[in-house]
Amino acid sequence: MKILFFGPNGSGKGTQGSIIKDKYGIPHIETGVIFRENITGGTDLGKKAKGYIDRGELVPDNITIPMILARLQEDDCKGGWILDGFPRNLTQAQELDKALKDLDITLDIVIEMILDRQIAKDRIMGRRLCVNDNNHPNNIFIDAIKPNGDKCQVCGGDLKTRSDDQDEDAIDQRHNIYYDTETGTMAGVNYFKDLSSKNDGIPRIVDLNGQQDLKKVTAELINKLG
Ligand code: ADP
């Protein structure tokens, strides 16, 4: 199963993506996580990416695109993958489509999580990251996943915030890119929708209401994936 997972920053797609990863036993490739690991590890890639990430800008395509295309050709990706955070603009969408065609790989599903911009923004400001697993859901503004004091509500691990999550300008910038239908992420979503309608519904487009609570989103997702 090869899946693209779109959704505004703060929509909770990382959490849902990790559930799909377990369900299908496929790697969950999160661009943002790869960048953050490189920043923490002090690699050259991390040093190049940091400034862009802190400002809420995209890391340039000439860094991001080859990094992801190489990742998709690693051994663990043979049986499928879920891509989360890529593509994030029209160029990335076109380049991904071209690379998949060249590699003779069929994209099966495109998920689009739909969520109002202001709600997504509030969720970002409230989210806390567990040091043991970034996808353990913790949010100080959402009762169902409120941290246990200052610890992770899933495993008791320490929690931290991301610097780009506490900066309103950076959040707005990320959302400007996401909701941009000309060259931004939504242009990428529309690119795949177009492809699907010209190709007998392949990839299958699955929309997902991100406004519901986390468990309901998971239930809708599992139900729609079949
Ligand atoms: P969020 O979805 O909350 O914005 P991510 O963890 O997916 O967070 O991404 C964090 C940052 O990493 C982005 O704001 C951007 O700077 C960078 N990034 C992630 N994916 C891409 C991508 N496909 N192209 C360029 N930059 C990216």
Side-chain angles (χ1 to χ4, degrees), residues 97-132:
D97 179 37
K98 181 169 170 294
L100 293 180
K101 282 184 175 132
D102 288 348
L103 294 165
D104 213 12
I105 293 173
T106 305
L107 181 65
D108 300 297
I109 294 178
V110 172
I111 304 167
E112 183 194 2
M113 174 113 87
I114 294 158
L115 186 65
D116 170 80
R117 184 171 174 154
Q118 185 59 43
I119 297 175
K121 185 170 175 178
D122 293 344
R123 287 193 187 170
I124 292 183
M125 312 271 307
R127 82 174 155 190
R128 298 292 178 267
L129 295 190
C130 171
V131 294
N132 296 326

Side-chain angles (χ1 to χ4, degrees), residues 8-24:
N9 325 64
S11 59
K13 70 183 155 43
T15 308
Q16 303 298 340
S18 87
I19 292 169
I20 300 179
K21 159 186 133 189
D22 294 339
K23 180 173 156 65
Y24 293 108

Side-chain angles (χ1 to χ4, degrees), residues 8-10 13 31-33 35-36 52-53 56-61 64 84-88 92 124 127 162 164-165 174:
N9 325 64
K13 70 183 155 43
T31 328
V33 172
F35 285 134
R36 281 190 290 281
Y52 298 102
I53 292 181
E57 294 166 12
L58 293 186
V59 178
D61 285 344
T64 309
D84 171 347
F86 187 94
R88 242 182 165 107
Q92 293 181 3
I124 292 183
R127 82 174 155 190
R162 272 168 49 179
D164 58 340
D165 278 359
R174 277 144 74 199

Side-chain angles (χ1 to χ4, degrees), residues 10 119 122-123 126 138-147 213-214:
I119 297 175
D122 293 344
R123 287 193 187 170
N138 287 278
N139 195 304
I140 60 169
F141 298 141
I142 302 174
D143 281 343
I145 53 171
K146 207 166 248 174
D213 74 44
L214 209 136

Side-chain angles (χ1 to χ4, degrees), residues 16 22 25 48 54 74 89 101-102 105 129 133 136 153-154 157-158 162 168 176 189-190 208 210:
Q16 303 298 340
D22 294 339
K48 281 186 198 147
D54 283 344
E74 286 178 24
N89 61 27
K101 282 184 175 132
D102 288 348
I105 293 173
L129 295 190
D133 183 341
H136 282 167
Q153 54 98 13
V154 178
D158 287 334
R162 272 168 49 179
E168 239 179 297
N176 286 342
V189 175
N190 292 336
L208 190 60

Side-chain angles (χ1 to χ4, degrees), residues 205-221:
I205 309 291
V206 170
D207 59 33
L208 190 60
N209 173 6
Q211 197 139 333
Q212 319 167 83
D213 74 44
L214 209 136
K215 287 206 172 82
K216 290 208 177 108
V217 177
T218 305
E220 182 182 334
L221 181 58

